[in-house]
């Protein structure tokens, strides 16, 4: 009986996360959907000038069938362009989000503490990695790695500090609720 209790306690310790760590899967899904919206809207806004070209061609063509064909071709091209932009944007932001939160959670787990330096390290490593895979010569990629590392840390520090303060406030509020109220039901 004692061995069963020990294994249950060991499982509970392994599955518990540090306060403030973000669920990797949820963050990745949110990143993918944000990238889909951003990429699609960017391509939709960029294709407005190309629609103007089609309208000019429509005015110069008296044949109705030719006008319909031009309009259909323009709409097909726009749909493909916006869809492609959505997919590429979703993959890019999803990969960045997955890498960032994966490294952040790995650092928090290995160090045993969740603090600002996990966010700074994850931002620096992620931006450096994505700087490395950018196209260009070896010296250009080295420059991108250095710039990504510095900018990732520079953006990660204030964001990590703000996130840490929000987590502390949320934990204070939940502790006050638990200590101040002896509720018997799950309803507030």
């Amino acid at each position: 009986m004692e061995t069963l209790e020990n294994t249950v306690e060991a499982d509970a310790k392994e599955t518990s996360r540090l306060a403030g760590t973000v669920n990797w899967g949820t963050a990745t899904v949110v990143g993918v959907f944000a990238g889909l919206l951003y990429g699609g809207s960017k391509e939709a806004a960029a294709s407005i000038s190309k629609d103007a070209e089609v309208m000019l061609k429509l005015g110069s063509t008296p044949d109705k069938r030719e006008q319909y064909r031009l309009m259909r071709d323009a709409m097909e091209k726009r749909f493909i362009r916006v869809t492609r932009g959505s997919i590429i944007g979703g993959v890019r932001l999803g990969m960045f989000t997955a890498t960032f939160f994966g490294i952040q959670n790995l650092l928090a787990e290995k160090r045993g503490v969740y603090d600002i330096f996990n966010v700074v390290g994850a931002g620096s490593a992620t931006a450096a990695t994505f700087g490395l895979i950018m196209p260009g010569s070896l010296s250009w990629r080295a420059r991108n790695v250095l710039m990504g590392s510095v900018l990732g840390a520079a953006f990660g520090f204030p964001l990590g500090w703000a996130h840490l303060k929000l987590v502390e406030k949320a934990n204070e509020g939940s502790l006050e609720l638990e200590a101040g109220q002896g509720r018997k039901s799950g309803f507030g």
Side-chain angles (χ1 to χ4, degrees):
M1 188 70 173
E2 288 181 29
T3 59
L4 180 62
E5 290 175 0
N6 290 341
T7 58
V8 171
E9 289 176 10
D11 288 342
K13 287 180 184 175
E14 288 178 12
T15 58
S16 67
R17 292 187 306 168
L18 294 171
T21 55
V22 178
N23 187 348
W24 178 83
T26 305
T28 301
V29 169
V30 168
V32 167
F33 281 118
L36 287 171
L37 290 173
Y38 173 72
S41 63
K42 186 175 85 169
E43 287 296 326
S47 67
I48 291 174
S49 64
K50 295 181 179 164
D51 291 342
E53 293 173 13
V54 172
M55 297 307 278
L56 287 174
K57 286 181 185 177
L58 284 177
S60 65
T61 307
D63 185 20
K64 289 289 184 189
R65 286 185 183 178
E66 184 68 18
Q67 288 179 354
Y68 289 140
R69 188 189 64 75
L70 285 172
M71 198 63 153
R72 187 188 71 227
D73 288 347
M75 290 300 120
E76 285 176 359
K77 287 178 183 175
R78 183 176 183 173
F79 176 78
I80 290 170
R81 198 169 37 249
V82 170
T83 304
R84 183 175 180 266
S86 293
I87 292 171
I88 290 173
V91 168
R92 284 181 181 168
L93 193 57
M95 285 175 43
F96 187 87
T97 306
T99 306
F100 175 79
F101 285 113
I103 293 173
Q104 180 182 347
N105 289 344
L106 178 74
L107 288 173
E109 182 182 322
K110 293 298 180 189
R111 293 180 64 227
V113 63
Y114 180 80
D115 59 1
I116 296 172
F117 299 113
N118 295 337
V119 179
V120 170
S124 180
T126 304
T129 302
F130 278 83
L132 183 64
I133 62 174
M134 297 288 283
S137 66
L138 189 59
S139 61
W140 187 255
R141 289 180 184 193
R143 177 196 165 277
N144 287 343
V145 167
L146 290 174
M147 287 297 294
S149 179
V150 170
L151 289 175
F155 282 112
F157 188 80
L159 293 174
W161 180 81
H163 184 253
L164 190 64
K165 291 301 175 189
L166 288 171
V167 168
E168 287 175 1
K169 283 286 189 190
N171 287 340
E172 286 175 8
S174 65
L175 290 177
E176 289 173 3
L177 283 176
E178 289 176 4
Q181 298 174 354
R183 291 184 293 180
K184 294 183 180 179
S185 71
F187 297 105

